[in-house]
Amino acid sequence: MLKLEYQRYNLPFKYPFTTAHGPKTHQEGLLINIGFANFSGSGELTQIPYYAHTDVEYLIGLIKKKRPLIETYA
């Protein structure tokens, strides 16, 4: 059976910066790890508000919803 883990994080910037989309002082993200036996793979995503479907809460909801299906693969 596959093992799925995730961890939300919030990294503050040492120096805030501003783009055309506004100022940023931190970066929200999500670390994901999938393991099977002695093998594992990791991924990361960051929340970018002007891209669709990158809201961390939304993605955690998808992971929770699909977790039983994902973990049945082996």
Side-chain angles (χ1 to χ4, degrees), residues 27-30 45-59:
Q27 183 63 55
E28 269 196 277
L30 192 61
L45 67 91
T46 57
Q47 181 170 323
I48 302 173
Y50 47 89
Y51 289 149
H53 305 300
T54 61
D55 179 79
V56 171
E57 278 303 316
Y58 172 78
L59 295 167

